[in-house]
Amino acid sequence: MTKPNETLENLLEQDYEHGFVTEIESDTLPPGLNEDTIRAISAKKNEPEFMLAWRLKAYEYWRHLNEPHWAHLQYTPIDYQAISYYSAPKKQEGPKDLSEVDPKLIETYNKLGIPLKEQEWLAGVAVDAVFDSISVATTFKDKLSELGIIFCSFSDAVQNHPKLVQQYLGSVVPHTDNFFAALNAAVFSDGSFVYIPPGVRCPMELSTYFRINARSTGQFERTLIIADKDAYVSYLEGCTAPQRDENQLHAAVVELVALENAQIKYSTVQNWYPGDENGVGGIYNFVTKRGECRGDHSKISWTQVETGSAITWKYPSVILKGDHSVGEFYSVALTNHHQQADTGTKMVHIGKQSKSTIIAKGISAGQAQNTYRGLVKVLAQAEGARNYTQCDSLLMGTHCGAHTFPYIESKNNSARIEHEASTSKISEDQLFYLAQRGIDTENAVSMIVNGFCKEVMKTLPMEFAVEARKLLGLSLEGSIG
Amino acid sequence: MLEIKKLHASIEDKAILKGVNLSIKAGEVHAIMGPNGSGKSTLANVLAGHKDYRVTEGTMHYQNTDLIPLSPDERAHLGLFLSFQYPVEIPGVSNLYLLKSALNAKRKHLGLEEIDAIDFLSIVREKMKLLQMDDSYLYRDVNSGFSGGEKKRNEILQLLLL
């Protein structure tokens, strides 16, 4: 009989499933970053003058910044001059439908289990697929455009809806926000753009699959979602990446704007290459995600399931500007082997009677470090603001760590702020009980972990929840003590 | 059916069982009695394969299969069922999910097809009727907030099902 210890270690040893590189000719800029790089990116994308000016301003600001090191993370310094800032699959013209898409791309999607064609018809999900920084296929466009919904790549939005872009770009995450947001503003290559017109309820989940492909290409996605008055949209973001042995930087920015009575639900399943069991390779995921409840009675919900990346540094936040606005953050962060995650949220209460809920579940195994860092800030005018925070950590084995840094600042004495936290271990008793009922260790661990995360998982859209459940089990192959 | 011969077992190098012999034939019901600390629970745990207990000597066979090299879940698949003194709580996992996973794990071991949710519900409801348990049991978390009696009843339900 093997010891449960060993069994769990074995479980965590499972290879990364999505480790493959598609061979497609890439149109890649040489490594390095200077003003010319930015002009080149902007020119390649045929951008209007305001975009170039905006990028240059951000670059100028970024040049004078230092990389932040306050997070509970350790990594070798990033050489920003060794990164290539643009890589796009070569093509003559944009594809008009799937038949014009490079068959190799389709093959990649199939390997990932996202057959685009079937997805169109079966899942009812419109996919704006980002492959190596450029969007290659957008589906369901017609159906959405009947409703006046704009769902396209960021580049298309810049070409076709420059006024909307100019009005909202950087209005939630300005280039001055932080080091990585400034870098993103300067060099971002593509991303998604969504606009839901007043009173429209988007009839399907909008979904983008991000995928980093070309070797050593930093990815700088930019997503902007605007829900106009009384509008509703649910957006899914899912990520996988090919296996490789050098670190890759990913510094995305996501901006959400909810106007009066509008609602945005943003769900992420993040499964980028986490590095091998010795901590070699893996993605550096330094992301700035923020939503602004700009109008009264608006609502923004973030749900994230973070299982990938060598390093995760992200704090999807909500600025609760409108009266009676609602912000939610549901998170599962799972780290194994040498993965490090420093993640959490910021809820900034400005509007009267604004409400926020934070449910964060951290799971660490192996030698991983998992940190929750959150800020609940209530400004003086936020009469009757209310926050509930719950942070739970689950430890597997004796070499991992869980850390919680909750910051609370309240300037209004009518505010009510609650914080609950717990730390637990998967107990041998639970494992033995399940084993005695015939369930092997691997499935038992997966069952216990999914139970631990239930409150978060149930906020995910159905099709995503299934994938996320599997992912949690998979990511833990190899981790209890 | 169950043959235990000269069984010695210890926990953290402390010998608890010192030469247990027991032979049970099919259809027999046995009760093992003894004062506190005499090793009744230890024997049950050793049979089920709890990893804290080490068999130092002797043999255990169930239906002529040597139990010692088998993991706890493999022993369970053979038909060994241990009703727990203190059934463990598993937050966030519904009874339904546990029961279905356990039954399917066993069916898989027997080379049978996995049972789908609808068929499973009708089977489990039949058993629950026998025990006068209502549907809400299925949707509660495993043993979470169960009273002592409810936990025991739940154990019997599992026994009937598996």
Side-chain angles (χ1 to χ4, degrees):
Chain A
M1 198 179 109
T2 53
K3 285 188 193 156
N5 259 354
E6 287 166 18
T7 320
L8 283 165
E9 308 273 311
N10 290 341
L11 278 175
L12 288 179
E13 299 308 321
Q14 188 166 328
D15 282 346
Y16 184 73
E17 269 199 341
H18 296 147
F20 45 83
V21 178
T22 308
E23 287 169 31
I24 288 180
E25 273 184 86
S26 284
D27 177 9
T28 305
L29 279 181
L33 180 57
N34 54 42
E35 226 182 275
D36 292 340
T37 320
I38 289 156
R39 288 183 189 280
I41 293 170
S42 195
K44 269 184 188 296
K45 303 180 75 62
N46 195 25
E47 289 181 344
E49 188 55 37
F50 82 88
M51 283 299 300
L52 177 61
W54 192 75
R55 286 176 183 279
L56 288 173
K57 205 164 71 183
Y59 172 69
E60 194 49 35
Y61 184 79
W62 178 80
R63 268 194 337 126
H64 297 99
L65 291 179
N66 291 317
E67 199 181 296
H69 289 285
W70 45 263
H72 193 83
L73 303 170
Q74 282 182 342
Y75 55 94
T76 46
I78 300 166
D79 181 357
Y80 292 94
Q81 295 302 334
I83 296 170
S84 164
Y85 286 87
Y86 185 83
S87 168
K90 262 191 185 162
K91 53 176 182 151
Q92 304 303 319
E93 280 177 359
K96 289 183 186 67
D97 57 54
L98 286 176
S99 65
E100 290 185 18
V101 174
D102 189 327
K104 276 202 179 152
L105 269 186
I106 302 288
E107 204 183 300
T108 305
Y109 290 129
N110 288 336
K111 278 191 209 163
L112 284 171
I114 35 166
L116 214 52
K117 280 185 177 171
E118 284 179 26
Q119 210 157 12
E120 267 186 319
W121 298 107
L122 295 177
V125 173
V127 176
D128 177 28
V130 175
F131 186 91
D132 251 32
S133 320
I134 227 174
S135 299
V136 290
T138 303
T139 51
F140 274 102
K141 232 176 192 162
D142 295 345
K143 198 169 171 187
L144 292 173
S145 65
E146 274 172 33
L147 292 162
I149 294 170
I150 303 167
F151 176 41
C152 61
S153 71
F154 211 103
S155 316
D156 286 353
V158 168
Q159 300 302 324
N160 304 325
H161 311 281
K163 276 196 179 140
L164 280 172
V165 173
Q166 198 166 6
Q167 185 182 348
Y168 289 102
L169 177 65
S171 71
V172 182
V173 181
H175 69 268
T176 51
D177 191 81
N178 69 67
F179 181 85
F180 298 107
L183 180 62
N184 176 288
V187 302
F188 81 90
S189 42
D190 213 333
S192 295
F193 179 87
V194 177
Y195 173 78
I196 315 287
V200 171
R201 192 182 164 85
C202 184
M204 61 188 86
E205 318 268 358
L206 300 181
S207 164
T208 299
Y209 284 83
F210 291 95
R211 183 163 165 75
I212 299 173
N213 199 59
R215 190 163 275 269
S216 191
T217 304
Q219 285 268 305
F220 304 92
E221 310 286 353
R222 187 132 194 145
T223 299
L224 176 57
I225 300 175
I226 302 137
D228 214 318
K229 280 182 189 175
D230 302 308
Y232 167 87
V233 64
S234 169
Y235 189 87
L236 316 180
E237 177 202 325
C239 318
T240 55
Q243 183 158 7
R244 54 185 72 253
D245 59 7
E246 60 197 281
N247 290 303
Q248 280 189 306
L249 175 64
H250 183 94
V253 171
V254 176
E255 294 180 282
L256 312 181
V257 182
L259 300 184
E260 202 179 317
N261 214 22
Q263 201 177 328
I264 301 175
K265 184 174 164 60
Y266 193 105
S267 312
T268 307
V269 171
Q270 189 264 110
N271 180 29
W272 284 332
Y273 181 53
D276 66 15
E277 64 271 21
N278 299 314
V280 177
I283 305 287
Y284 288 2
N285 189 23
F286 299 154
V287 178
T288 307
K289 286 184 167 174
R290 190 175 306 151
E292 190 170 293
C293 285
R294 207 164 277 184
D296 294 348
H297 298 280
S298 55
K299 178 177 176 182
I300 290 177
S301 299
W302 296 102
T303 301
Q304 60 172 15
V305 175
E306 303 280 323
T307 62
S309 296
I311 299 177
T312 299
W313 181 97
K314 67 183 270 202
Y315 314 90
S317 306
V318 184
I319 312 288
L320 297 147
K321 216 176 224 175
D323 292 346
H324 301 278
S325 57
V326 176
E328 292 174 337
F329 174 73
Y330 300 101
S331 170
V332 171
L334 186 155
T335 48
N336 193 6
H337 299 311
H338 292 268
Q339 279 179 282
Q340 306 173 67
D342 192 310
T343 183
T345 184
K346 286 193 275 186
M347 293 289 173
V348 181
H349 292 258
I350 301 169
K352 294 182 181 59
Q353 311 293 331
S354 51
K355 250 169 66 178
S356 62
T357 303
I358 300 170
I359 310 277
K361 305 275 182 180
I363 301 148
S364 347
Q367 280 96 47
Q369 296 295 326
N370 203 322
T371 300
Y372 168 82
R373 187 186 302 276
L375 169 69
V376 176
K377 190 172 184 172
V378 179
L379 300 192
Q381 65 267 44
E383 205 62 37
R386 174 121 176 65
N387 163 266
Y388 173 75
T389 301
Q390 185 189 332
C391 298
D392 298 318
S393 305
L394 188 67
L395 300 171
M396 298 185 173
T398 49
H399 304 295
C400 55
H403 316 269
T404 306
F405 301 102
Y407 301 89
I408 296 171
E409 290 173 29
S410 179
K411 296 204 168 66
N412 186 308
N413 57 18
S414 70
R416 278 172 64 196
I417 298 166
E418 288 174 63
H419 182 94
E420 280 182 32
S422 76
T423 304
S424 54
K425 282 184 79 164
I426 286 195
S427 76
E428 292 298 340
D429 289 347
Q430 287 175 328
L431 290 174
F432 180 60
Y433 186 68
L434 292 174
Q436 219 298 306
R437 298 301 177 253
I439 297 165
D440 64 31
T441 315
E442 185 175 333
N443 285 314
V445 169
S446 171
M447 196 183 278
I448 294 167
V449 167
N450 273 296
F452 173 74
C453 304
K454 193 184 192 177
E455 287 157 286
V456 174
M457 302 303 258
K458 73 182 183 197
T459 68
L460 284 173
M462 186 65 98
E463 60 269 46
F464 237 29
V466 175
E467 192 181 317
R469 277 189 86 97
K470 279 191 202 147
L471 200 58
L472 285 184
L474 213 71
S475 310
L476 278 172
E477 307 236 321
S479 70
I480 277 205
Chain B
M1 192 166 198
L2 181 66
E3 288 286 342
I4 302 174
K5 283 182 187 158
K6 289 180 190 159
L7 186 68
H8 289 248
S10 54
I11 181 165
E12 288 171 358
D13 294 329
K14 192 182 168 212
I16 311 250
L17 302 181
K18 298 158 190 167
V20 176
N21 287 296
L22 179 65
S23 175
I24 299 178
K25 296 191 182 68
E28 291 180 357
V29 177
H30 289 244
I32 298 170
M33 296 194 284
N36 291 343
S38 60
K40 304 180 295 292
S41 301
T42 298
L43 178 61
N45 278 318
V46 168
L47 278 171
H50 195 293
K51 68 142 190 154
D52 288 351
Y53 298 89
R54 212 156 37 85
V55 174
T56 50
E57 222 185 299
T59 59
M60 326 184 269
H61 285 83
Y62 178 70
Q63 290 176 325
N64 298 322
T65 306
D66 184 3
L67 292 177
I68 291 172
L70 301 180
S71 63
D73 52 303
E74 288 167 332
R75 296 182 197 194
H77 292 153
L78 291 180
L80 219 71
F81 187 95
L82 173 64
S83 177
F84 281 59
Q85 226 163 344
Y86 306 104
V88 179
E89 300 186 2
I90 306 174
V93 177
S94 73
N95 236 346
L96 179 70
Y97 188 74
L98 170 67
L99 291 168
K100 186 163 163 272
S101 304
L103 183 61
N104 276 331
K106 180 155 189 185
R107 289 180 67 91
K108 202 171 157 193
H109 170 79
L110 296 173
L112 297 170
E113 257 182 54
E114 291 201 359
I115 201 159
D116 68 33
I118 295 162
D119 290 344
F120 176 76
L121 263 181
S122 64
I123 294 170
V124 76
R125 283 198 173 122
E126 194 184 303
K127 308 284 185 202
M128 284 169 72
K129 219 170 166 182
L130 288 174
L131 295 169
Q132 297 179 324
M133 295 166 86
D134 67 67
D135 244 29
S136 66
Y137 261 95
L138 291 176
Y139 304 102
R140 290 165 67 183
D141 290 357
V142 178
N143 296 323
S144 268
F146 281 32
S147 72
E150 284 175 327
K151 282 183 184 175
K152 292 293 178 195
R153 200 176 290 200
N154 202 26
E155 293 285 292
I156 297 169
L157 175 63
Q158 292 175 358
L159 174 62
L160 282 176
L161 199 71
L162 301 176

